[in-house]
Amino acid sequence: MTAPHPAVPSATPGLGHPLDNPVRSSLTGPHAHFAERRGRVLRYRPDITPWAALPDAPGTEDWADAAALAGPGGGVTLTAFREPPPAGWEIVFHADGVQMVDDGMDAGPDAEAVLLGPRDVPDMLELVARTRPGPFLPGTVELGTYLGVRRSGVLVAMAGERLHPPGWTEISGVCTDESVRGQGLATRLIRAVAHGIRERGETPFLHAASSNTGAVRLYESLGFRLRRRTAFLSALVPAQPRRPVDARTPAREAGRLEQLGQ
């Protein structure tokens, strides 16, 4: 029987909604023990996931702190961010995305799903290399529950938990090997992961690239609804950092993000 759908968490007065800056909400909340910080900038341990979080309106000092955390030539990966980085930073990835929240999904456990842990990481990394669902590193499994399906001992599908703002848990790492596509394994695993999230009294959410229309349609059919449009950005710190230009100033040398990201 499907677990009752919990009340959707609301914004904390004066702090905005936890999903508006989900990485920051996670690293100042349930995932604080994974956080590395410099000034107002936070990031996950580099072996866990590349996501970092700047303040909602970053200034020059924030970009300098982000550069110091990553080191010369290092990468800074952000979500819910549309401003360009300062001059000298190289944008290596930019994509528009969607953020979707559970709106009455039919969630429940799956008899074939097995719990994945540290011993399964080599198999998980192999599956990710074949299917490319997004960032997944050796330590990502520490972020939450990961479930998988094995056929003849081979891991062929998985899904799990990533970001964890207070009251919410992100479903991520959803991937299915080409040999078993069309069998509904992704749907089953999403429902199973969502069931575990709801059992804790939290609400599932997820992100997807706007261009991945097939995935967006699948999530909508499962009972997710669009909450907001967002963007994903990854940029490299200049090899020889200089005093950064505030990303909010009209005379920024970096130009418009839409131009740089295409």
Side-chain angles (χ1 to χ4, degrees), residues 12-176:
T12 302
L15 296 180
H17 197 287
L19 295 190
D20 289 348
N21 194 337
V23 178
R24 191 170 192 83
S25 298
S26 299
L27 290 174
T28 56
H31 280 175
H33 56 294
F34 294 125
E36 296 182 347
R37 176 192 289 268
R38 185 180 176 99
R40 300 195 300 167
V41 178
L42 300 106
R43 72 170 182 177
Y44 279 93
R45 254 178 31 217
D47 64 307
I48 288 183
T49 188
W51 294 112
L54 273 67
D56 293 334
T60 56
E61 290 302 317
D62 298 313
W63 282 107
D65 286 337
L69 266 180
V76 175
T77 303
L78 306 165
T79 187
F81 193 78
R82 293 185 177 276
E83 290 289 330
W89 290 63
E90 178 189 355
I91 294 179
V92 293
F93 177 79
H94 166 240
D96 292 324
V98 294
Q99 183 184 81
M100 307 180 75
V101 296
D102 177 15
D103 191 31
M105 177 173 40
D106 182 16
D110 187 275
E112 193 178 6
V114 297
L115 182 65
L116 302 175
R119 293 183 179 180
D120 300 293
V121 167
D123 291 345
M124 298 168 82
L125 292 173
E126 287 185 10
L127 178 60
V128 166
R130 296 196 301 271
T131 58
R132 301 185 180 278
F136 188 92
L137 300 174
T140 303
V141 71
E142 298 180 39
L143 295 179
T145 300
Y146 274 82
L147 301 177
V149 171
R150 291 184 178 274
R151 299 280 172 83
S152 301
V154 178
L155 184 66
V156 295
M158 74 173 190
E161 302 173 357
R162 189 171 60 178
L163 301 181
H164 194 177
W168 301 81
T169 299
E170 181 192 29
I171 297 178
S172 182
V174 181
C175 52
T176 305

Side-chain angles (χ1 to χ4, degrees), residues 206-221:
L206 52 79
H207 290 101
S210 298
S211 59
N212 193 350
T213 55
V216 173
R217 283 197 298 269
L218 170 64
Y219 299 145
E220 289 175 336
S221 71

Side-chain angles (χ1 to χ4, degrees), residues 221-235:
S221 71
L222 290 177
F224 286 89
R225 65 171 172 81
L226 177 67
R227 176 181 177 267
R228 69 182 305 207
R229 298 193 178 277
T230 185
F232 313 112
L233 168 71
S234 184

